[in-house]
Amino acid sequence: VIDFTLGEPHLSHETYSVIKESLEKRMLSQHIGYSNFYGVMELRENVANFCSQQYQQNYDPENEMIITTGCSESLSAVLMSLINPFDEVIILEPAFSLYQSIVTLCGGTVVTYNLHQTNMRLHASKLNELISPKTKGIIINSPNNPSGHVLSEEDLSVIYECVKDKSIFVISDEVYRDLVFDNNKYVSISAFDSLRDQLFIINGFSKTFAMTGWRVGYVLGPKQYMKKIGIVHQNLVACTSTISQYACIEALKNTQLTTIMVQYYKRNRDYVYEQLKPYVEDIIYPQGAFYLYFKPLNNQQSSLEYCKKLLLDKKVALVPSLAFESEDSGYVRLSYCCDFETLKEGIIRIQKFQKII
Amino acid sequence: VIDFTLGEPHLSHETYSVIKESLEKRMLSQHIGYSNFYGVMELRENVANFCSQQYQQNYDPENEMIITTGCSESLSAVLMSLINPFDEVIILEPAFSLYQSIVTLCGGTVVTYNLHQTNMRLHASKLNELISPKTKGIIINSPNNPSGHVLSEEDLSVIYECVKDKSIFVISDEVYRDLVFDNNKYVSISAFDSLRDQLFIINGFSKTFAMTGWRVGYVLGPKQYMKKIGIVHQNLVACTSTISQYACIEALKNTQLTTIMVQYYKRNRDYVYEQLKPYVEDIIYPQGAFYLYFKPLNNQQSSLEYCKKLLLDKKVALVPSLAFESEDSGYVRLSYCCDFETLKEGIIRIQKFQKII
């Protein structure tokens, strides 16, 4: 089976081979105990410098940042701190399924804006309609999993205008922000300075440093909320794996790892988009991340059925839209963060399948 | 300052020096990606064998075990799966503060049985009084943090009799179970076979392998609940650090690490108990773990005040009972999992302080 289901960059050994020497020295000389529960200070300082220089996001490593067990735990800790039962949280679909699950776990209600209906653009009137006195937050994710779609400056303005001066939190999952192709400049919603007191930025090492297995993410946010988030974080996991945090200190010295990855996956992106376009009903053009979200057929067949048949007939695994949308849109997700030869073989199989189905 | 506040064995480099060679080989040859969200299968199988052989706890590594980010996350995942708002959970005080925080985070209510009031023994009548139709679970921890107290077979029988045939879960935190002194045999509540369908056992590598900074724990429980716990676990952290799991596979081949630790900390235990006994009002005799819980003074002075004064006057840090009990009992916790020389120096300072206070 060629497995295109995982959002896991295949270049993880590249990272390890680069960081291993320093990491080993560190493990031999430093105590491998609990870290400060907000995270190893050296890592927090380096992340703060990185975010400031690379992203113009200026956060105090002392009390505006928490190192978490991957971005999943960032999300959990933030949502568990902010969301009370019956609070509403707006999610832009298609979306990473975890947003829905964690909001539900917190007793909150998910309100969805399905971007398919407005051609992947945000309409202010439609977004405003979803806002109620119960709205506690909006979760955005750009570049998006599963579509690779990047929110434009206009889209971000729409969000900003809808939430500013309201007690609505914005949770911006920016874990794919360094994986943007074609030299496009990434714009974060953090560019709206006046949003700062209601904004939480989530990012991490899993995707851009191919370090999924190390489980390190971080959340940046206003000081007045970080203490509570820190307490939830401490309840959930005590602290993040110290070894993993040491590894991330080393990785951060090697931003060329991300450059290599962007080059590699841009080639994959171009290939997969060009090769599949003539064979399928629709593809959302992926400006970033490493996913292709496409609609293989023009009829109403369920994406789940399509994935099952493809797996059975051609031994290729994709993820159906059910994992990302409340209703089956017919789309499927293909992760192309694999080596090029595997990708080619899988695409040929999908092309063959499209001809016979 | 001599810091006796952390429950963190000082022998962490012993572990790393023993596992490092195999761990490095593994990191070079194996993919460092997301693990199966239940945990790396090789680790689960080894943990299952270990529990079966060492503890006579027989659990299927496939679907009765989840590897978590430390025991904290075991507790969080189990409680978040089982506890609904307004459910009551019984906790035997003194207790690790996390039990109270997580139950509260779940919207549950903590009902406490304070063991001081019954001379550290469990009385069936008193325990039965605490059980109501809302009682959803009881959390036990033996050897106990902060007292080192081990629940006797009679005490375990009392619990068993009170909860059997009721829909009350037993969560048994056994993370210190290998740290029992004087060749006493440890008895787990899992010895009551008929409790199996309502019992969750929590254990991990932090304490007995001096691996706090690696963040690996595990939960064993009945299959019918583990799926939901697994989903919560996946929401919280996706999976546990793969590197850390690899390290635990290696550690588990070196159970002599625990033997060395028990020998080392028994000497500390004997020393600290004998040296402090003549100077303080009361000490709970620590049969296990690496904590001494003692009442320094016979008056009603708060333990917080005592700790503040001791820190100021003698630069020795202890944890006041407020961290472990709903009401200040006057007791303080001393962690003696440090090197012997540091312990000696700290104890001399406390002795001097006791003479002048």
Side-chain angles (χ1 to χ4, degrees):
Chain A
V1 171
I2 294 183
D3 187 353
F4 290 139
T5 65
L6 282 178
E8 175 157 56
H10 77 300
L11 298 165
S12 70
H13 274 102
E14 306 282 319
T15 303
Y16 183 58
S17 67
V18 170
I19 68 173
K20 92 184 187 54
E21 205 172 319
S22 312
L23 179 62
E24 277 163 19
K25 272 190 206 145
R26 207 177 261 279
M27 288 199 278
L28 284 170
S29 64
Q30 292 186 245
H31 179 56
I32 313 166
Y34 294 116
S35 79
N36 177 297
F37 78 86
Y38 270 60
V40 169
M41 196 27 121
E42 186 183 351
L43 177 59
R44 279 191 275 156
E45 283 168 352
N46 292 359
V47 169
N49 286 337
F50 178 80
C51 291
S52 172
Q53 285 165 23
Q54 302 284 318
Y55 308 150
Q56 292 74 54
Q57 290 171 338
N58 299 306
Y59 284 85
D60 179 0
E62 187 82 51
N63 47 38
E64 297 182 318
M65 178 192 302
I66 299 168
I67 306 292
T68 58
T69 305
C71 292
S72 307
E73 199 230 320
S74 283
L75 273 163
S76 297
V78 169
L79 291 171
M80 284 180 190
S81 302
L82 303 179
I83 306 304
N84 295 310
F86 312 114
D87 283 347
E88 292 177 357
V89 177
I90 297 171
I91 290 173
L92 309 182
E93 283 189 347
F96 181 33
S97 55
L98 200 66
Y99 308 147
Q100 162 109 35
S101 333
I102 300 178
V103 171
T104 308
L105 192 66
C106 296
T109 305
V110 169
V111 174
T112 57
Y113 183 123
N114 195 301
L115 286 166
H116 286 306
Q117 292 165 8
T118 48
N119 202 22
M120 298 304 282
R121 298 297 305 271
L122 268 167
H123 292 190
S125 58
K126 188 155 186 280
L127 184 55
N128 269 320
E129 271 172 30
L130 301 181
I131 293 175
S132 84
K134 286 185 185 169
T135 306
K136 194 63 168 284
I138 176 167
I139 303 175
I140 62 175
N141 171 222
S142 170
N144 173 258
N145 171 11
S147 70
H149 179 69
V150 173
L151 291 172
S152 67
E153 286 188 62
E154 291 84 347
D155 290 331
L156 295 172
S157 286
V158 167
I159 297 168
Y160 171 68
E161 293 296 332
C162 287
V163 303
K164 70 167 182 180
D165 307 324
K166 296 202 185 86
S167 56
I168 297 177
F169 295 109
V170 178
I171 295 144
S172 182
D173 178 353
E174 305 187 352
V175 71
Y176 299 101
R177 66 168 291 162
D178 283 330
L179 293 166
V180 171
F181 306 119
D182 311 315
N183 297 316
N184 285 329
K185 193 177 167 293
Y186 176 79
V187 182
S188 161
I189 197 151
S190 62
F192 296 96
D193 287 337
S194 65
L195 214 58
R196 189 183 166 99
D197 281 350
Q198 62 198 100
L199 175 64
F200 297 87
I201 298 164
I202 289 170
N203 205 334
F205 292 83
S206 290
K207 309 300 180 180
T208 39
F209 287 93
M211 294 180 78
T212 53
W214 300 79
R215 311 304 308 121
V216 183
Y218 51 90
V219 51
L220 311 173
K223 186 179 168 184
Q224 62 267 35
Y225 300 106
M226 295 307 269
K227 202 168 174 180
K228 191 173 173 198
I229 294 172
I231 291 169
V232 174
H233 160 69
Q234 202 179 6
N235 280 338
L236 294 182
V237 297
C239 65
T240 299
S241 165
T242 304
I243 298 298
S244 295
Q245 293 188 67
Y246 289 165
C248 290
I249 293 172
E250 299 311 319
L252 217 44
K253 295 173 187 162
N254 294 280
T255 49
Q256 80 280 6
L257 289 164
T258 304
T259 313
I260 292 164
M261 208 185 300
V262 172
Q263 282 166 355
Y264 199 109
Y265 295 143
K266 182 197 179 312
R267 180 183 175 217
N268 280 7
R269 194 275 315 257
D270 291 345
Y271 178 82
V272 75
Y273 184 78
E274 280 157 27
Q275 292 297 314
L276 281 187
K277 189 121 188 57
Y279 290 86
V280 302
E281 172 69 9
D282 185 44
I283 302 186
I284 296 171
Y285 183 72
Q287 300 154 282
F290 36 55
Y291 307 108
L292 192 80
Y293 203 52
F294 67 96
K295 191 174 182 179
L297 306 166
N298 64 0
N299 57 26
Q300 293 302 313
Q301 199 182 13
S302 89
S303 60
L304 183 64
E305 281 308 307
Y306 177 84
C307 289
K308 278 183 185 169
K309 277 188 201 157
L310 179 68
L311 184 60
L312 208 67
D313 277 25
K314 298 289 176 194
K315 308 267 179 276
V316 173
L318 303 177
V319 185
S321 65
L322 278 175
F324 311 105
E325 304 185 57
S326 328
E327 284 174 32
D328 191 342
S329 63
Y331 282 75
V332 293
R333 187 188 80 173
L334 182 153
S335 289
Y336 55 80
C337 51
C338 54
D339 77 279
F340 190 67
E341 293 309 312
T342 307
L343 185 67
K344 265 167 79 173
E345 171 59 26
I347 296 304
I348 289 165
R349 291 192 201 176
I350 296 175
Q351 287 171 337
K352 282 187 187 154
F353 186 69
Q354 289 298 103
K355 282 184 193 158
I356 56 164
I357 201 168
Chain B
V1 172
I2 294 182
D3 187 352
F4 289 141
T5 65
L6 283 177
E8 175 157 56
H10 77 300
L11 298 165
S12 69
H13 274 102
E14 306 282 318
T15 302
Y16 182 58
S17 67
V18 170
I19 68 173
K20 91 183 187 58
E21 204 173 319
S22 311
L23 179 61
E24 277 161 21
K25 271 189 206 147
R26 208 176 261 277
M27 288 199 277
L28 285 169
S29 64
Q30 291 186 246
H31 179 56
I32 313 169
Y34 293 117
S35 80
N36 177 298
F37 78 86
Y38 271 58
V40 170
M41 196 27 125
E42 185 183 352
L43 177 59
R44 280 190 275 156
E45 282 168 352
N46 292 359
V47 169
N49 286 338
F50 178 81
C51 291
S52 171
Q53 285 165 23
Q54 301 285 318
Y55 308 149
Q56 292 75 54
Q57 290 171 338
N58 299 306
Y59 284 85
D60 180 359
E62 187 83 51
N63 47 38
E64 296 182 319
M65 177 192 306
I66 299 170
I67 306 291
T68 59
T69 304
C71 292
S72 306
E73 200 229 320
S74 283
L75 272 163
S76 296
V78 169
L79 291 171
M80 285 180 188
S81 303
L82 302 180
I83 306 303
N84 295 311
F86 313 113
D87 283 347
E88 292 176 359
V89 177
I90 296 171
I91 291 173
L92 310 181
E93 283 190 345
F96 182 32
S97 55
L98 200 67
Y99 307 148
Q100 162 110 33
S101 334
I102 300 177
V103 170
T104 309
L105 191 67
C106 296
T109 305
V110 169
V111 175
T112 57
Y113 183 122
N114 195 300
L115 286 167
H116 286 307
Q117 293 165 8
T118 47
N119 201 23
M120 299 303 284
R121 298 297 306 272
L122 269 167
H123 291 189
S125 60
K126 191 157 184 279
L127 183 57
N128 268 320
E129 273 172 29
L130 301 180
I131 293 175
S132 85
K134 286 184 184 170
T135 306
K136 195 64 169 280
I138 177 168
I139 304 176
I140 61 175
N141 171 222
S142 169
N144 174 257
N145 171 11
S147 70
H149 180 70
V150 173
L151 290 171
S152 67
E153 287 188 62
E154 291 84 348
D155 290 330
L156 294 172
S157 285
V158 167
I159 297 168
Y160 171 70
E161 292 296 332
C162 286
V163 302
K164 70 168 183 179
D165 307 324
K166 296 203 185 84
S167 56
I168 297 176
F169 296 109
V170 178
I171 295 145
S172 182
D173 178 352
E174 305 187 352
V175 71
Y176 299 101
R177 66 168 293 163
D178 284 330
L179 293 164
V180 171
F181 307 119
D182 312 316
N183 298 315
N184 285 330
K185 194 177 168 289
Y186 176 80
V187 181
S188 161
I189 196 152
S190 62
F192 296 96
D193 288 336
S194 65
L195 214 57
R196 189 183 165 100
D197 281 349
Q198 61 198 99
L199 174 65
F200 297 88
I201 298 163
I202 289 170
N203 206 334
F205 293 82
S206 291
K207 308 301 180 181
T208 41
F209 287 93
M211 293 180 80
T212 54
W214 301 80
R215 313 303 309 123
V216 183
Y218 51 89
V219 50
L220 310 173
K223 185 177 168 183
Q224 62 268 35
Y225 300 105
M226 295 306 270
K227 200 167 176 181
K228 190 172 174 200
I229 294 171
I231 290 169
V232 174
H233 160 69
Q234 202 179 5
N235 281 338
L236 294 183
V237 298
C239 65
T240 299
S241 165
T242 304
I243 298 297
S244 294
Q245 293 188 67
Y246 288 165
C248 290
I249 294 171
E250 299 311 320
L252 217 44
K253 295 173 188 162
N254 293 280
T255 49
Q256 80 281 6
L257 290 163
T258 304
T259 313
I260 292 165
M261 208 184 303
V262 172
Q263 282 166 354
Y264 199 107
Y265 294 143
K266 183 196 181 311
R267 181 182 173 218
N268 281 7
R269 194 275 316 258
D270 290 347
Y271 177 81
V272 76
Y273 184 77
E274 281 157 26
Q275 291 297 314
L276 282 185
K277 190 126 186 54
Y279 289 85
V280 301
E281 171 70 9
D282 186 43
I283 303 186
I284 296 170
Y285 184 73
Q287 300 154 283
F290 36 56
Y291 307 108
L292 191 80
Y293 203 52
F294 66 97
K295 192 175 181 178
L297 307 165
N298 65 0
N299 58 27
Q300 293 302 312
Q301 199 182 13
S302 89
S303 60
L304 183 63
E305 282 306 307
Y306 176 84
C307 290
K308 278 183 185 169
K309 278 187 199 158
L310 179 67
L311 184 60
L312 208 67
D313 279 22
K314 298 289 175 196
K315 307 267 179 277
V316 173
L318 303 177
V319 184
S321 66
L322 279 174
F324 311 106
E325 303 185 57
S326 329
E327 285 174 32
D328 191 341
S329 63
Y331 282 74
V332 293
R333 187 188 79 173
L334 183 154
S335 289
Y336 55 80
C337 51
C338 54
D339 77 279
F340 189 66
E341 293 310 312
T342 307
L343 185 67
K344 264 168 80 173
E345 171 58 26
I347 296 305
I348 289 166
R349 292 191 199 176
I350 297 175
Q351 287 171 334
K352 283 185 185 155
F353 186 69
Q354 289 298 103
K355 282 182 192 160
I356 57 163
I357 201 169

